[in-house]
Amino acid sequence: MAECNHDCSNCSSKCEEKSLLAELNELSKVKKVIGIVSGKGGVGKSLVTGLLASLVSKTGKKVGVLDADITGPSVPKMFGIKGYAEGSDLGIYPKESMLGTKVISSNLLLENENDPVLWRGPVIAGMVKQFWTDVIWGEVDYMFVDMPPGTGDVPLTVFQSIPLDGIIIVTSPQELVSMIVEKAVKMANMMNIPILGVVENMSYIKCPECGKEMELFGTSKVDEVATDFDLKVLARMPLDPSIAKLVDQGKIEHVNANFMNLAVQTILEL
C-alpha cells in the first residue's frame, strides 16, 4: 500500500474504516467544532478565537475553547483565567471564564504560566489530542480550537483527530496575505474540512478625532483574495488600542465587537 500523503481530495482508497478521529471523553458532548487557523504566525488567531467564543457565548450558547497553541498559549490570559486545571480519575476539568466559557490550555497545567514548553512536535501533538479525549467538557454547543500557525504536527493532528465542522482563516492586510490564505485553503481542501470564511485582522485604525478609517498597512486585499479562493469575508477587524487594553486585562468578554457580527451569524447557522 502506498504511503498516505493526506490528500483526501485525489485519493481512491477507502479509508472509512481507518478513521484517525479520536474518541471524545465519555462525559462530554460537543455539538460543533470550529478551528481558527492561519498560514503564518502573528496575525491574531488567538484574538479572533477569544472574540468569537465570547460573542457566541453571549447569544446563550455553551462555549468551549481548546487552546492548541501549546508553546504559545494566550487564551487563559485573555479571559482572566488563572490557576491550575483540576482533575480526577475521570479526567481533566476545564477552567471557566466569568461568563462561563470553558477553557483548556497548556498554561493551566504548568507550575508557572511563564515557563516555556520545551517539547518536541509529537509530544505537543499528543497533548492537543488529550485535550479532546481526556478533558471533561460536559455540554458544549460550540467549541473553538485556537491552532498554532502553519501546517506542522499540531494542525495536522487537529485536522485528523478532531471532527471539525469548519475552519476560519485569519489573515492580515500585507502583501503576503495571498500566501497565508492559500496555505490554509490547500491544507483544508486536502483534509476535506469546510472553510467558513476569512477574517482580516489589523484592517484599519479609526481616527479618534474624526472617525475616519485609515489603512495603516496599505489597501486591503482581502476581498480580492477571497474572490480568488471563493471564500466569504466574515470580518475586517480594526487595530484598536481599547481592545488591546481589555484583552491585556483579561476582559475580552467586555469587548464590543460588532465588526464580528457576520462571523458569529455564520457560526450559529452551522
Side-chain angles (χ1 to χ4, degrees):
M1 178 182 290
E3 182 179 353
C4 178
N5 63 4
H6 308 296
D7 185 356
C8 302
S9 60
N10 296 313
C11 183
S12 60
S13 299
K14 297 181 179 180
C15 302
E16 289 82 4
E17 297 179 1
K18 301 177 183 179
S19 174
L20 297 177
L21 289 177
E23 187 173 344
L24 181 64
N25 180 280
E26 62 181 8
L27 297 178
S28 305
K29 183 178 180 182
V30 179
K31 296 179 181 178
K32 298 293 180 182
V33 186
I34 300 97
I36 312 300
V37 309
S38 178
K40 70 177 295 295
V43 296
K45 290 183 304 301
S46 296
L47 176 60
V48 171
T49 301
L51 287 175
L52 288 176
S54 299
L55 295 170
V56 172
S57 177
K58 289 176 182 178
T59 69
K61 303 298 183 181
K62 297 176 182 177
V63 174
V65 178
L66 192 161
D67 188 355
D69 195 350
I70 303 298
T71 59
S74 56
V75 173
K77 182 175 176 60
M78 290 182 181
F79 284 91
I81 296 174
K82 296 181 179 180
Y84 289 115
E86 299 179 355
S88 69
D89 292 339
L90 300 175
I92 304 168
Y93 297 93
K95 301 282 285 187
E96 290 194 19
S97 70
M98 289 293 292
L99 296 184
T101 295
K102 298 177 181 179
V103 174
I104 194 65
S105 169
S106 61
N107 258 14
L108 302 177
L109 304 176
L110 298 175
E111 184 175 352
N112 185 333
E113 66 177 15
N114 294 321
D115 289 343
V117 177
L118 303 176
W119 299 343
R120 294 191 182 277
V123 179
I124 295 173
M127 171 168 274
V128 171
K129 193 172 179 179
Q130 284 185 287
F131 282 169
W132 179 255
T133 61
D134 294 0
V135 173
I136 303 171
W137 291 100
E139 293 275 347
V140 171
D141 295 315
Y142 293 91
M143 177 177 288
F144 296 89
V145 182
D146 181 19
M147 291 206 276
T151 55
D153 286 336
V154 175
L156 184 58
T157 295
V158 172
F159 275 64
Q160 290 183 324
S161 303
I162 299 176
L164 294 172
D165 293 282
I167 64 166
I168 291 174
I169 300 172
V170 183
T171 186
S172 58
Q174 291 95 328
E175 283 287 346
L176 47 72
V177 61
S178 181
M179 179 192 70
I180 295 174
V181 174
E182 185 171 2
K183 285 179 179 290
V185 168
K186 285 184 175 180
M187 185 173 187
N189 289 339
M190 289 173 68
M191 306 300 293
N192 285 333
I193 305 295
I195 303 173
L196 303 182
V198 60
V199 170
E200 183 182 68
N201 189 23
M202 300 177 285
S203 293
Y204 59 90
I205 188 169
K206 185 173 290 188
C207 174
E209 300 295 332
C210 66
K212 181 180 179 180
E213 294 181 1
M214 297 173 287
E215 297 178 315
L216 295 182
F217 298 103
T219 303
S220 172
K221 297 173 179 58
V222 68
D223 291 321
E224 176 184 331
V225 172
T227 299
D228 290 343
F229 296 103
D230 194 25
L231 301 176
K232 181 193 296 186
V233 178
L234 299 178
R236 295 179 70 242
M237 295 172 54
L239 195 61
D240 189 336
S242 67
I243 293 177
K245 182 178 180 180
L246 286 172
V247 172
D248 287 344
Q249 294 174 344
K251 299 178 179 178
I252 194 168
E253 292 170 313
H254 294 243
V255 174
N256 181 10
N258 293 331
F259 48 83
M260 299 293 280
N261 286 347
L262 179 57
V264 172
Q265 178 185 340
T266 300
I267 290 167
L268 293 177
E269 289 175 352
L270 277 176

